């Protein structure tokens, strides 16, 4: 347990911007070589064909401009603040741990459920960042569409409920299980690696 929780020496080198740059390079490259999406996204078939890079590369593949812009906006909004709070090394470990394991879990679950999916995008890691942001800054207010102010922990709860209902009743081509897994992995990381209890923090933050 001591090894698991051994902290990194705090450093900050703007890993959020580096992740954005990698995402941008992938996005432009796939506009030029669109068929590469089959090799860089993640799928059961890809794993069977020994494309073992997919659990990493799928996080940098986006289906279109809206998918890319939404994820990158969220990366900047939450990533910079989380990175400054915990340091760049911890931030990268958190992001990659949640993103890679999220992909593996999602593909395994979709395979069991009989879905033939091509998993792509940073959404799982982004949802993990949202939960981390809500735990580190529990009293923060997030403005939805710049209009509706919502406390960060409430937003996490609302998104979790939406994703659960969407997964049960159907929600198009969105990987709802991946989003939920992102929340779960972030929770696990905060508890196991950092010794943080999200529920306790939220209760203490709003206790009068």
């Amino acid at each position: 347990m001591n090894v698991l929780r051994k902290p990194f020496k705090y450093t900050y080198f703007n890993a959020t911007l580096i992740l954005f740059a990698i995402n941008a390079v992938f996005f432009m490259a796939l506009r030029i070589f669109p068929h590469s999406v089959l090799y860089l996204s993640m799928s059961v078939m890809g794993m069977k064909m020994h494309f073992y890079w997919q659990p990493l590369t799928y996080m940098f593949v986006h289906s279109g401009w809206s998918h890319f812009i939404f994820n990158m906006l969220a990366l900047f909004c939450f990533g910079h603040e989380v990175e400054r709070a915990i340091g760049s090394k911890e931030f990268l470990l958190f992001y990659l741990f949640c993103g890679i394991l999220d992909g593996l879990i999602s593909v395994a679950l979709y395979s069991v459920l009989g879905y033939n999916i091509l998993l792509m995008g940073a959404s799982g890691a982004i949802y993990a960042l949202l939960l981390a942001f809500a735990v580190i800054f529990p009293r923060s207010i997030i403005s939805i569409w710049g209009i509706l102010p919502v406390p960060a922990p409430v937003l996490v709860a609302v998104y979790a409920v939406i994703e659960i209902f969407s997964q049960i009743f159907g929600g198009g081509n969105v990987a709802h299980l991946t989003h939920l897994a992102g929340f779960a992995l972030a929770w696990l990381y905060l508890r196991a690696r950092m010794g943080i209890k999200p529920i306790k923090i939220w209760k203490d933050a709003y206790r009068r």
Side-chain angles (χ1 to χ4, degrees):
M1 182 60 70
N2 290 334
V3 174
L4 179 63
R5 292 188 177 177
K6 184 178 181 180
F8 292 114
K9 181 180 179 181
Y10 183 90
T11 56
Y12 179 81
F13 48 81
N14 207 342
T16 301
L17 185 59
I18 294 172
L19 289 172
F20 172 81
I22 296 173
N23 275 280
V25 169
F26 268 71
F27 186 75
M28 297 311 298
L30 285 170
R31 304 281 75 76
I32 301 171
F33 306 105
H35 294 297
S36 298
V37 69
L38 298 175
Y39 299 96
L40 298 176
S41 299
M42 192 173 177
S43 64
V44 175
M45 184 59 67
M47 292 292 95
K48 289 181 178 179
M49 295 178 68
H50 309 296
F51 296 167
Y52 295 134
W53 58 84
Q54 288 187 346
L56 175 63
T57 59
Y58 91 96
M59 291 189 289
F60 302 103
V61 177
H62 292 87
S63 59
W65 281 103
S66 61
H67 191 202
F68 174 75
I69 291 173
F70 177 82
N71 277 344
M72 293 305 98
L73 181 61
L75 175 62
F76 268 109
C77 289
F78 305 121
H80 273 302
E81 298 303 321
V82 172
E83 182 182 358
R84 287 188 182 279
I86 66 177
S88 298
K89 293 179 181 178
E90 194 72 52
F91 170 78
L92 278 176
L93 179 61
F94 173 82
Y95 188 90
L96 294 175
F97 169 85
C98 292
I100 291 172
L101 201 56
D102 194 1
L104 292 170
I105 291 172
S106 297
V107 166
L109 288 174
Y110 282 119
S111 177
V112 170
L113 293 172
Y115 291 108
N116 184 22
I117 59 101
L118 192 62
L119 192 65
M120 65 181 74
S123 300
I126 295 300
Y127 271 68
L129 274 181
L130 172 58
L131 188 137
F133 177 87
V135 172
I136 296 170
F137 307 101
R139 296 189 67 87
S140 292
I141 302 297
I142 299 173
S143 295
I144 306 299
W145 303 302
I147 302 172
L148 182 63
V150 180
V154 174
L155 186 62
V156 168
V158 169
Y159 268 125
V161 170
I162 290 173
E163 295 300 331
I164 291 171
F165 273 87
S166 298
Q167 179 61 43
I168 294 174
F169 299 107
N173 295 320
V174 179
H176 301 292
L177 277 178
T178 303
H179 298 167
L180 291 169
F183 278 152
L185 287 167
W187 193 290
L188 174 65
Y189 187 100
L190 293 171
R191 287 290 287 114
R193 164 72 177 167
M194 305 181 77
I196 295 174
K197 299 178 180 180
I199 294 295
K200 183 179 186 302
I201 285 181
W202 291 334
K203 284 182 177 179
D204 290 345
Y206 289 92
R207 181 175 294 158
R208 292 184 180 276

